[in-house]
Amino acid sequence: MRLKIAVLAGDGIGPEVTREATNILRAVAELGGHDFTFVEGLIGGVAITENGTPLPSATMDAALDSDAVLLGAVGDNKFNSLTPDKRPEAGLLQIRQALGGYANLRPSIAYTALAASSPLRPEVIENADILFVRELLGGLYFGEPRWWNKETNEAINTMRYTRDEVVRVARIAFELASKRRKKVTSVDKANVLEVSQLWRATVTEIAKDYPDVTLEHQLVDSMAMHIMNIPRNFDVVLTENLFGDILSDEAGVITGSLGMLPSATIGGQVNLYEPVHGSAPDIAGTGKANPLGAILTAAMVLRHSAGLEQDARAVEQAVHKVLDAGYRTADIARGDKNAQLVSTLEMGKHVHQALAESIDRRQSMHAV
Ligand code: IPM
Ligand code: MN
């Protein structure tokens, strides 16, 4: 298996956690005899500092020329006074648009070992396993017109969707649900917004092609509450860009930390992989960052871009194993007396070790 991966580590903790993720990919390549190559590029605040733009054309070219893009995080308080189109985040939105992936998959699961890290009671989060399918190229993030008129003190953003944009992301949600617990919850605000009415009508229509999958609709406000009340009720949650941004952060509470959440964006020319967490400038360089979100993102690279499902699972199981063994970065150490506090680097090493053991075991089983 050959895979060319563009690595855009970005800002803050991005480089630290991405290093652990690429180490894991290197280990999988070595243990399985695969040929993975890595090409680095600048994005976000570091790119503004070095090149004066959050997405230099060299980065864009490298990304388009790769089989998968692995991104760390973007965002730097230094640029807070800039308008949205000049900020580090603009680089991320531009690359999302250029790569063309419209379905952002954000799994959020409850880890038994981390039950104490979640502020929710263990019996509430037990068996929670939600896969958010967030539409990533439409809605308020990209709708025109958009402006802020400082003379009239008026500003506008536009929430816009076409039927086709809803159809393509809905199909991905139904396909994924049919391989899981066969339920799609579509989230909108159809009691107020025309865009949501189009969304709901379109999703309802597409559901007819997937008779084995149950569809339910939820309004985004009550959904925000249901996710906290009975997370195990949800399987695939399909929603538009901004609602998905908000709800997927909320669902971090189920897992115990935003630092645990991976994501993959599929459907475009090149898949884009990024942990859900941001650049966390307050802890950058302190060794406190949790690399597990980035490592689980690497597992998604193996699953969705390399077709190495077994290896993807091996990485996920290695993460389970280190958590069961009690290793914790600071963000997931809460309320856990037996936790063994480790640094970003140490956490990466423990996952690597658990992974090597499980791949070794698999290979020796095949050998006999
Ligand atoms: C995310 C982030 C981004 C988003 C920001 C950094 C532009 O919050 O990936 O969830 O809003 O999509
Ligand atoms: Mn977000």
Side-chain angles (χ1 to χ4, degrees):
M1 170 76 221
R2 293 175 79 113
L3 202 70
K4 193 170 176 187
I5 304 164
V7 180
L8 317 181
D11 302 319
I13 61 168
E16 305 158 44
V17 297
T18 305
R19 194 170 311 125
E20 300 313 317
T22 52
N23 278 347
I24 292 297
L25 289 172
R26 282 201 176 89
V28 169
E30 200 173 308
L31 294 162
H34 304 297
D35 178 12
F36 292 177
T37 50
F38 300 88
V39 185
E40 293 187 4
L42 294 173
I43 194 166
V46 284
I48 300 179
T49 306
E50 293 230 352
N51 289 40
T53 161
L55 183 64
S57 57
T59 302
M60 198 59 254
D61 293 346
L64 284 169
D65 186 46
S66 65
D67 303 305
V69 176
L70 178 63
L71 197 139
V74 296
D76 186 331
N77 294 331
K78 203 159 79 189
F79 304 105
N80 279 356
S81 61
L82 300 181
T83 52
D85 59 316
K86 305 242 162 29
R87 291 170 61 112
E89 289 83 351
L92 177 56
L93 298 179
Q94 281 163 23
I95 201 167
R96 283 180 182 170
Q97 203 165 28
L99 298 178
Y102 49 84
N104 178 221
L105 317 184
R106 298 189 159 188
S108 183
I109 67 176
Y111 289 87
T112 320
L114 293 186
S117 307
S118 174
L120 297 175
R121 287 196 306 279
E123 66 268 28
V124 173
I125 54 173
E126 199 178 9
N127 296 325
D129 178 357
I130 306 181
L131 176 59
F132 287 89
V133 177
R134 168 188 177 194
E135 200 293 326
L136 205 64
L137 292 185
L140 285 164
Y141 278 70
F142 294 98
E144 297 284 346
R146 57 181 302 158
W147 42 255
W148 175 9
N149 185 329
K150 299 207 170 147
E151 255 98 73
T152 63
N153 279 319
E154 192 187 2
I156 188 165
N157 287 98
T158 303
M159 188 190 266
R160 176 179 179 276
Y161 271 102
T162 64
R163 179 181 176 280
D164 288 352
E165 286 169 336
V166 183
V167 169
R168 62 185 190 175
V169 73
R171 288 210 182 278
I172 293 209
F174 283 102
E175 296 288 343
L176 290 165
S178 68
K179 292 184 209 111
R180 292 171 46 104
R181 303 196 311 281
K182 302 190 179 359
K183 180 175 172 187
V184 169
T185 303
S186 174
V187 179
D188 61 39
K189 187 72 185 171
N191 54 346
V192 177
L193 304 173
E194 285 78 2
V195 176
S196 284
Q197 293 185 325
L198 167 77
W199 181 279
R200 193 177 279 219
T202 308
V203 174
T204 304
E205 189 192 318
I206 297 306
K208 298 198 182 102
D209 293 343
Y210 303 86
D212 59 328
V213 178
T214 310
L215 168 66
E216 72 171 10
H217 300 280
Q218 290 285 347
L219 296 170
V220 63
D221 49 354
S222 58
M223 183 65 180
M225 181 187 66
H226 293 317
I227 289 177
M228 294 293 95
N229 269 338
I230 343 171
R232 79 174 70 86
N233 267 3
F234 302 104
D235 178 19
V236 171
V237 174
L238 166 66
T239 191
E240 68 89 46
N241 206 344
L242 183 64
F243 297 162
D245 179 44
I246 298 168
L247 294 180
S248 61
D249 265 36
E250 187 195 9
V253 172
I254 296 167
T255 302
S257 166
L258 208 50
M260 291 294 301
L261 303 184
S263 97
T265 304
I266 63 171
Q269 202 178 329
V270 182
N271 290 348
L272 171 64
Y273 299 86
E274 37 176 330
V276 173
H277 64 70
S279 58
D282 52 324
I283 58 162
T286 65
K288 283 192 189 147
N290 184 349
L292 296 179
I295 288 173
L296 292 166
T297 300
M300 295 187 91
V301 174
L302 297 170
R303 173 169 296 125
H304 297 282
S305 284
L308 296 172
E309 176 62 30
Q310 257 196 337
D311 293 297
R313 288 207 187 154
V315 172
E316 288 160 355
Q317 275 154 17
V319 168
H320 274 277
K321 216 164 151 194
V322 302
L323 293 175
D324 289 343
Y327 298 116
R328 302 283 185 270
T329 42
D331 58 319
I332 47 175
R334 174 170 46 187
D336 202 333
K337 284 193 286 311
N338 301 319
Q340 194 177 327
L341 201 61
V342 294
S343 68
T344 312
L345 207 127
E346 286 161 345
M347 187 60 114
K349 279 199 183 132
H350 287 301
V351 177
H352 183 187
Q353 202 178 342
L355 175 72
E357 282 164 16
S358 90
I359 292 184
D360 264 357
R361 213 173 313 118
R362 193 170 87 207
Q363 284 170 346
S364 56
M365 266 163 63
H366 279 291
V368 286

